[in-house]
């Protein structure tokens, strides 16, 4: 028991340990078998189990800071979003999960639909997080924003040539656009936002013409699209903003060169604004440490936590007045699409059908 605990439970200021889910489950079973109710209770009050599908190393510092402030240890279980929600469902009322944190509004919406979360009524969260970036019933809250923008090869394209997502269907872009596959959640949400704005029929026409402009069959992640634009395979890449500053910060000269070649364009500034997606979290319905978990949700909206998102992982904060990393700031300010982000989940299945019919692999 002790040996397993040391591997799982973190002390203040230590590097966050990532545990395999099977280890955590094994340990929880042992905890139930080997400890009395009293010990179990006090443990529950001083620890939270965070199930996270975020894939950023800088999050560890964010969680350590929470432990320093509150004395509540954070046990991190990492996995893919779908695996984590399945896990919580199969663990049922015995689930050790207090919080589920994930990326993409569509996934947060789906987790709510599956009955993963309990509502949280927190004045702090309602005050700090804009209404379109949280579930109206308090099942989940967004903590950071990423814009899905057009990145362009500065040697080939002038920003004046660019305007909207819709314009990417124009035949002038034939063979010039790099984007990852339609199975990617960021693309599902982007297309859902276009369906919400333009309707299903117009979106399908748009999508067909957009796919006809691809420089190559979709392959690789967002970074692969940025690199395709930098190397001249494509002129334009669709990617999330936070990937680009990492090239500038790299020790590798070739990566810095990639940064220097790429410009960032925020589409749809003259109408609804640029599509943004989020990272967010909610209280798991069966949370053993409800009070600690709500403290954690509130902590994520604090100024210092927001600075970790904005300066550690180059995401945009959801709370006003938090300063950005200078590289992110250099991309400029932009108008965000303020559509209710729940629509990305609601329209996700339609988006998949539209992309499929349009031949987006
Ligand atoms: Fe990502």
């Amino acid at each position: 028991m002790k040996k397993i605990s040391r591997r799982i439970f973190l002390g203040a200021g230590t590097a966050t340990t990532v545990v395999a889910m099977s280890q955590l489950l094994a340990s929880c079973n042992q905890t139930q078998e080997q400890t009395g109710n009293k010990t179990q209770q006090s443990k529950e009050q001083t620890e939270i189990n965070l199930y996270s599908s975020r894939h950023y190393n800088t999050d560890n510092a964010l969680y350590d800071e929470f432990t320093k402030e509150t004395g509540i240890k954070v046990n991190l279980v990492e996995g893919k979003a779908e695996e984590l929600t399945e896990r919580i469902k199969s663990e049922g009322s015995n689930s050790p999960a207090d919080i589920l944190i994930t990326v993409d509004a569509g996934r947060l919406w789906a987790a709510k639909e599956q009955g993963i979360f309990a509502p949280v009524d927190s004045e702090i969260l309602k005050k700090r997080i804009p209404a379109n970036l949280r579930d109206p019933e308090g099942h989940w809250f967004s903590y950071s924003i990423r814009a899905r923008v057009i990145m362009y090869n500065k040697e080939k394209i002038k920003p004046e040539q660019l305007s909207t997502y819709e314009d990417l269907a124009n035949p002038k872009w034939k063979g010039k656009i790099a984007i990852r596959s339609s199975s990617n959640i960021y693309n599902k949400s982007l297309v859902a936002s276009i369906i919400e704005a333009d309707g299903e029929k117009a979106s399908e026409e748009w999508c067909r013409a957009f796919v006809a402009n691809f420089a190559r069959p979709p392959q690789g992640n967002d970074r692969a699209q940025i690199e395709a634009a930098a190397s001249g395979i494509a002129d334009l890449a669709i990617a999330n903003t936070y990937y680009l500053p990492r090239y500038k910060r790299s020790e590798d000269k070739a990566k810095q060169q990639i940064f220097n070649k790429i410009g960032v364009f925020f589409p749809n500034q003259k109408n609804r604004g640029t599509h943004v997606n989020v990272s967010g979290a909610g209280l798991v319905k069966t949370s053993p440490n409800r009070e600690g978990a709500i403290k954690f949700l509130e902590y994520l909206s604090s100024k210092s936590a927001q600075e970790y998102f904005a300066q550690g992982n180059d995401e945009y904060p959801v709370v006003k007045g938090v300063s950005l990393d200078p590289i992110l700031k250099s991309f400029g300010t932009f108008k965000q699409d303020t559509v209710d982000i729940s629509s990305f989940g609601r329209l996700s299945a339609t988006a998949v059908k539209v992309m499929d019919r349009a031949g987006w692999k």
Side-chain angles (χ1 to χ4, degrees), residues 80-317:
K80 289 187 173 158
E82 289 75 15
E83 286 168 6
L84 294 174
T85 47
E86 281 310 310
R87 188 83 198 195
I88 292 169
K89 282 198 283 184
S90 68
E91 286 166 345
S93 57
N94 292 322
S95 177
D98 292 294
I99 296 279
L100 174 67
I101 181 164
T102 187
V103 297
D104 187 79
R107 287 196 182 120
L108 292 162
W109 179 88
K112 181 191 175 187
E113 287 291 297
Q114 292 171 63
I116 300 285
F117 297 131
V120 171
D121 186 19
S122 158
E123 287 310 315
I124 293 175
L125 292 174
K126 276 194 272 191
K127 204 172 104 193
R128 294 182 71 80
I129 301 173
N132 70 309
L133 300 177
R134 53 182 159 84
D135 176 60
E137 290 163 342
H139 284 245
W140 51 263
F141 302 86
S142 302
Y143 294 104
S144 65
I145 291 169
R146 58 278 302 281
R148 197 150 182 77
V149 297
I150 304 172
M151 297 190 191
Y152 59 94
N153 183 314
K154 289 196 277 195
E155 286 163 10
K156 296 183 178 177
I157 301 295
K158 299 263 163 292
E160 297 76 39
Q161 294 171 261
L162 295 161
S163 59
T164 60
Y165 298 107
E166 283 80 354
D167 178 64
L168 296 175
N170 188 313
K172 73 179 179 188
W173 299 118
K174 193 156 185 66
K176 296 193 187 316
I177 301 169
I179 188 164
R180 70 202 288 180
S181 80
S182 59
S183 62
N184 171 256
I185 192 88
Y186 304 143
N187 285 340
K188 288 181 197 172
S189 288
L190 170 64
V191 172
S193 78
I194 292 169
I195 295 170
E196 178 74 356
D198 302 336
E200 185 177 340
K201 193 167 172 285
S203 297
E204 191 171 329
E205 281 164 26
W206 165 81
C207 202
R208 196 163 283 119
F210 175 59
V211 171
N213 288 340
F214 286 1
R216 59 178 184 182
Q219 54 192 268
N221 54 20
D222 275 13
R223 281 183 292 264
Q225 316 314 316
I226 296 170
E227 288 165 23
S231 69
I233 293 171
D235 290 1
L236 310 178
I238 309 301
N240 285 354
T241 32
Y242 59 85
Y243 287 110
L244 194 56
R246 298 173 189 180
Y247 286 92
K248 167 97 171 163
R249 241 176 257 127
S250 172
E251 309 262 293
D252 181 349
K253 285 240 153 57
K255 292 239 163 88
Q256 294 170 15
Q257 272 308 324
I258 290 170
F259 179 88
N260 295 335
K261 284 187 174 160
I262 297 291
V264 171
F265 184 82
F266 293 100
N268 296 71
Q269 291 303 286
K270 289 182 181 156
N271 51 41
R272 66 184 180 272
T274 296
H275 169 67
V276 295
N277 207 328
V278 299
S279 269
L283 170 70
V284 176
K285 193 169 60 180
T286 51
S287 162
N289 183 1
R290 211 187 137 83
E291 202 183 312
I294 293 172
K295 258 188 209 158
F296 182 76
L297 292 175
E298 290 176 342
Y299 160 76
L300 291 180
S301 75
S302 68
K303 191 162 184 273
S304 67
Q306 288 287 303
E307 276 169 2
Y308 274 107
F309 286 118
Q311 290 164 24
N313 196 43
D314 301 307
E315 292 169 90
Y316 294 99

